[in-house]
Coordinates of all heavy atoms in Angstrom, one line a residue:
S51 N 71.6 157.4 91.5 CA 71.4 158.8 91.1 C 72.7 159.5 90.8 O 73.7 159.3 91.4 CB 70.7 159.5 92.2 OG 70.3 160.8 91.9
A52 N 72.6 160.4 89.8 CA 73.8 161.1 89.4 C 73.5 162.6 89.0 O 72.4 162.8 88.5 CB 74.5 160.4 88.2
M53 N 74.4 163.5 89.3 CA 74.2 164.9 89.0 C 75.6 165.5 88.7 O 76.6 165.0 89.3 CB 73.6 165.7 90.1 CG 72.2 165.3 90.4 SD 71.4 166.3 91.7 CE 70.8 167.6 90.6
A54 N 75.7 166.4 87.8 CA 77.0 167.1 87.6 C 76.7 168.6 87.4 O 75.6 169.0 86.9 CB 77.6 166.5 86.3
N55 N 77.7 169.4 87.7 CA 77.6 170.8 87.4 C 77.5 171.0 85.9 O 76.8 171.8 85.4 CB 78.8 171.6 87.9 CG 78.8 171.6 89.4 OD1 77.8 171.6 90.1 ND2 80.0 171.6 90.0
N56 N 78.4 170.2 85.1 CA 78.3 170.3 83.7 C 78.7 168.9 83.1 O 79.8 168.4 83.5 CB 79.2 171.3 83.1 CG 79.0 171.6 81.6 OD1 78.6 170.7 80.9 ND2 79.3 172.8 81.2
W57 N 77.9 168.2 82.4 CA 78.2 166.9 81.9 C 79.2 167.0 80.7 O 79.9 166.0 80.5 CB 76.9 166.2 81.4 CG 76.1 165.8 82.6 CD1 75.2 166.5 83.3 CD2 76.1 164.5 83.2 NE1 74.6 165.8 84.3 CE2 75.2 164.5 84.2 CE3 76.8 163.3 82.9 CZ2 74.9 163.4 85.1 CZ3 76.5 162.2 83.7 CH2 75.6 162.3 84.8
N58 N 79.2 168.0 80.0 CA 80.2 168.2 78.9 C 80.2 167.0 77.9 O 81.2 166.7 77.3 CB 81.6 168.4 79.4 CG 81.8 169.7 80.2 OD1 81.2 170.7 79.8 ND2 82.5 169.7 81.2
G59 N 79.1 166.3 77.8 CA 79.0 165.1 76.9 C 79.4 163.8 77.6 O 79.5 162.8 76.9
A60 N 79.7 163.8 78.9 CA 80.2 162.6 79.6 C 79.0 161.7 79.9 O 77.8 162.1 79.8 CB 80.8 163.0 80.9
S61 N 79.3 160.5 80.2 CA 78.3 159.5 80.6 C 78.8 158.8 81.8 O 80.1 158.6 81.9 CB 77.8 158.5 79.5 OG 78.9 157.7 79.1
V62 N 77.9 158.3 82.7 CA 78.4 157.6 83.9 C 77.6 156.3 83.9 O 76.4 156.3 83.8 CB 78.2 158.4 85.2 CG1 76.8 158.8 85.4 CG2 78.8 157.6 86.4
Q63 N 78.3 155.2 84.0 CA 77.7 153.8 84.0 C 77.9 153.1 85.3 O 79.1 153.0 85.7 CB 78.3 153.0 82.8 CG 77.9 151.6 82.7 CD 76.4 151.5 82.2 OE1 76.1 152.0 81.1 NE2 75.6 150.9 83.0
L64 N 76.9 152.6 85.9 CA 77.0 151.8 87.1 C 77.3 150.4 86.6 O 76.8 149.9 85.7 CB 75.7 151.8 87.9 CG 75.7 150.9 89.1 CD1 76.6 151.5 90.2 CD2 74.2 150.9 89.7
Q65 N 78.3 149.8 87.3 CA 78.8 148.5 86.9 C 78.9 147.6 88.2 O 79.1 148.1 89.3 CB 80.1 148.5 86.3 CG 80.2 149.3 85.0 CD 81.6 149.4 84.4 OE1 82.6 149.5 85.1 NE2 81.7 149.4 83.1
A66 N 78.7 146.3 88.0 CA 78.8 145.3 89.1 C 79.8 144.2 88.6 O 79.8 143.8 87.4 CB 77.5 144.6 89.4
L67 N 80.6 143.7 89.5 CA 81.6 142.6 89.2 C 80.8 141.4 88.8 O 79.9 140.9 89.6 CB 82.5 142.4 90.4 CG 83.7 141.5 90.2 CD1 84.6 142.1 89.1 CD2 84.4 141.3 91.5
G68 N 81.2 140.8 87.7 CA 80.5 139.6 87.2 C 80.9 138.3 87.9 O 81.8 138.3 88.8
P69 N 80.3 137.2 87.6 CA 80.5 136.0 88.3 C 81.9 135.4 88.1 O 82.3 134.6 88.9 CB 79.5 135.0 87.7 CG 78.9 135.7 86.5 CD 79.2 137.1 86.6
D70 N 82.7 135.9 87.1 CA 84.0 135.4 86.9 C 85.0 136.1 87.9 O 86.2 135.7 88.0 CB 84.5 135.6 85.5 CG 84.6 137.0 85.0 OD1 84.3 137.9 85.8 OD2 85.0 137.2 83.9
G71 N 84.5 137.1 88.6 CA 85.4 137.8 89.6 C 86.4 138.7 89.0 O 87.2 139.3 89.7
T72 N 86.3 139.0 87.7 CA 87.2 139.8 87.0 C 86.5 140.9 86.1 O 86.9 142.1 86.1 CB 88.1 139.0 86.0 OG1 88.8 138.0 86.8 CG2 89.2 139.9 85.4
T73 N 85.5 140.5 85.5 CA 84.8 141.4 84.5 C 83.7 142.2 85.1 O 82.8 141.6 85.8 CB 84.2 140.5 83.3 OG1 85.3 139.7 82.8 CG2 83.7 141.4 82.2
Y74 N 83.7 143.5 84.9 CA 82.5 144.3 85.4 C 81.5 144.4 84.3 O 81.8 144.5 83.1 CB 83.0 145.7 85.7 CG 83.6 145.8 87.1 CD1 85.0 145.5 87.2 CD2 82.9 146.1 88.2 CE1 85.5 145.6 88.5 CE2 83.4 146.1 89.4 CZ 84.8 145.9 89.6 OH 85.3 145.9 90.9
Q75 N 80.2 144.2 84.7 CA 79.1 144.2 83.8 C 78.3 145.5 84.0 O 78.0 145.9 85.1 CB 78.2 143.0 84.1 CG 78.9 141.7 83.9 CD 78.1 140.5 84.3 OE1 77.4 140.5 85.3 NE2 78.2 139.4 83.5
N76 N 77.8 146.1 82.9 CA 77.0 147.3 83.0 C 75.6 147.0 83.5 O 75.0 146.0 83.2 CB 76.8 147.9 81.6 CG 78.2 148.5 81.1 OD1 79.1 148.7 81.8 ND2 78.2 148.7 79.8
L77 N 75.1 147.9 84.4 CA 73.8 147.7 85.0 C 72.9 148.9 84.4 O 73.1 150.0 84.7 CB 73.8 147.8 86.5 CG 74.7 146.8 87.2 CD1 74.8 147.0 88.7 CD2 74.2 145.4 86.9
G78 N 72.0 148.5 83.6 CA 71.1 149.5 83.0 C 71.8 150.4 82.0 O 72.9 150.1 81.5
S79 N 71.2 151.5 81.7 CA 71.7 152.5 80.7 C 72.6 153.5 81.4 O 72.3 153.8 82.5 CB 70.6 153.2 80.0 OG 69.8 152.3 79.3
P80 N 73.6 154.0 80.7 CA 74.4 155.1 81.3 C 73.6 156.4 81.4 O 72.7 156.6 80.7 CB 75.6 155.3 80.3 CG 75.1 154.7 79.0 CD 74.1 153.7 79.3
K81 N 74.0 157.1 82.4 CA 73.4 158.4 82.7 C 74.2 159.5 81.9 O 75.4 159.5 82.0 CB 73.3 158.7 84.1 CG 72.3 157.8 84.9 CD 72.2 158.1 86.3 CE 71.3 157.2 87.0 NZ 69.9 157.4 86.7
T82 N 73.5 160.4 81.3 CA 74.2 161.5 80.5 C 73.7 162.9 80.9 O 74.0 163.9 80.3 CB 74.0 161.3 79.0 OG1 72.6 161.2 78.7 CG2 74.6 160.0 78.6
A83 N 72.8 162.9 81.9 CA 72.2 164.2 82.4 C 71.8 164.0 83.8 O 71.6 162.9 84.3 CB 71.0 164.6 81.5
N84 N 71.6 165.1 84.5 CA 71.1 165.1 85.9 C 69.8 164.4 86.0 O 68.9 164.5 85.2 CB 71.0 166.5 86.5 CG 72.3 167.2 86.7 OD1 73.4 166.5 86.6 ND2 72.3 168.5 86.9
D85 N 69.7 163.6 87.1 CA 68.4 162.9 87.4 C 67.4 163.9 87.8 O 67.6 164.7 88.7 CB 68.6 161.9 88.5 CG 69.2 160.6 88.0 OD1 68.6 160.0 87.0 OD2 70.2 160.1 88.6
A86 N 66.3 163.9 87.1 CA 65.2 164.9 87.4 C 64.2 164.3 88.3 O 63.3 165.0 88.8 CB 64.6 165.4 86.1
T87 N 64.2 163.0 88.4 CA 63.1 162.3 89.2 C 63.6 161.4 90.3 O 63.0 160.6 90.8 CB 62.3 161.3 88.2 OG1 63.2 160.4 87.7 CG2 61.6 162.1 87.1
G88 N 64.8 161.7 90.8 CA 65.4 161.0 92.0 C 66.3 159.8 91.7 O 66.9 159.4 92.6
G89 N 66.3 159.3 90.5 CA 67.2 158.2 90.2 C 66.6 157.0 89.6 O 65.4 157.0 89.2
T90 N 67.4 155.9 89.5 CA 66.9 154.7 88.8 C 67.1 153.6 89.8 O 68.1 153.4 90.4 CB 67.9 154.5 87.6 OG1 67.9 155.6 86.7 CG2 67.4 153.3 86.8
S91 N 66.0 152.7 89.8 CA 66.0 151.6 90.7 C 66.9 150.5 90.1 O 66.9 150.2 88.8 CB 64.6 151.1 90.8 OG 64.6 149.9 91.6
V92 N 67.7 149.8 90.9 CA 68.5 148.7 90.5 C 68.6 147.7 91.7 O 68.6 148.1 92.8 CB 70.0 149.2 90.2 CG1 70.7 149.8 91.3 CG2 70.8 148.0 89.6
T93 N 68.5 146.4 91.3 CA 68.5 145.4 92.3 C 69.9 144.7 92.3 O 70.3 144.3 91.2 CB 67.4 144.4 92.1 OG1 66.2 145.1 92.2 CG2 67.4 143.3 93.2
L94 N 70.5 144.5 93.4 CA 71.9 143.9 93.5 C 71.8 142.7 94.4 O 71.2 142.7 95.4 CB 72.9 144.9 94.0 CG 73.1 146.1 93.1 CD1 73.9 147.2 93.9 CD2 73.8 145.8 91.8
G95 N 72.6 141.7 94.1 CA 72.8 140.5 94.9 C 73.6 140.8 96.2 O 74.2 141.9 96.3
S96 N 73.5 139.9 97.1 CA 74.2 140.1 98.4 C 75.7 140.2 98.1 O 76.3 139.5 97.3 CB 73.9 138.9 99.3 OG 74.6 139.0 100.5
N97 N 76.3 141.2 98.8 CA 77.8 141.4 98.7 C 78.3 141.7 97.3 O 79.4 141.3 96.9 CB 78.6 140.3 99.3 CG 78.4 140.1 100.8 OD1 78.4 141.1 101.5 ND2 78.1 138.9 101.2
S98 N 77.4 142.4 96.5 CA 77.9 142.8 95.2 C 79.0 143.9 95.2 O 79.0 144.7 96.1 CB 76.7 143.4 94.4 OG 75.7 142.5 94.1
V99 N 79.9 143.8 94.3 CA 81.0 144.7 94.2 C 80.6 145.7 93.0 O 80.4 145.2 91.9 CB 82.3 144.0 93.9 CG1 83.4 145.1 93.7 CG2 82.7 143.1 95.0
V100 N 80.5 146.9 93.3 CA 80.0 147.9 92.3 C 81.0 149.1 92.2 O 81.8 149.3 93.1 CB 78.6 148.5 92.7 CG1 77.6 147.4 92.7 CG2 78.7 149.2 94.1
R101 N 80.9 149.7 91.0 CA 81.7 150.9 90.7 C 81.0 151.7 89.7 O 80.0 151.2 89.1 CB 83.1 150.5 90.3 CG 83.1 149.9 88.9 CD 84.5 149.6 88.4 NE 84.5 149.1 87.0 CZ 85.6 148.6 86.4 NH1 86.7 148.5 87.0 NH2 85.5 148.3 85.1
V102 N 81.5 152.9 89.4 CA 81.0 153.6 88.2 C 82.1 153.9 87.3 O 83.3 154.0 87.7 CB 80.3 155.0 88.6 CG1 79.0 154.7 89.3 CG2 81.1 155.9 89.3
N103 N 81.8 154.0 86.0 CA 82.8 154.3 85.0 C 82.3 155.5 84.2 O 81.2 155.6 83.7 CB 82.9 153.1 84.0 CG 84.0 153.2 83.0 OD1 85.0 154.0 83.3 ND2 83.9 152.6 81.9
V104 N 83.2 156.5 84.1 CA 82.9 157.8 83.4 C 83.6 157.7 82.1 O 84.8 157.5 82.0 CB 83.3 159.0 84.2 CG1 83.0 160.3 83.5 CG2 82.7 159.0 85.6
T105 N 82.8 157.9 81.0 CA 83.3 157.8 79.7 C 82.9 159.0 78.8 O 82.0 159.8 79.2 CB 82.9 156.5 78.9 OG1 81.4 156.5 78.9 CG2 83.4 155.3 79.7

Side-chain angles (χ1 to χ4, degrees):
S51 182
M53 297 185 87
N55 292 329
N56 192 330
W57 285 84
N58 296 323
S61 65
V62 61
Q63 177 70 60
L64 180 64
Q65 300 178 321
L67 189 60
D70 64 0
T72 303
T73 307
Y74 279 87
Q75 300 172 319
N76 292 340
L77 301 175
S79 300
K81 294 184 180 283
T82 58
N84 289 347
D85 280 309
T87 58
T90 305
S91 179
V92 61
T93 301
L94 298 168
S96 180
N97 295 315
S98 290
V99 178
V100 296
R101 70 179 188 187
V102 293
N103 187 25
V104 180
T105 59

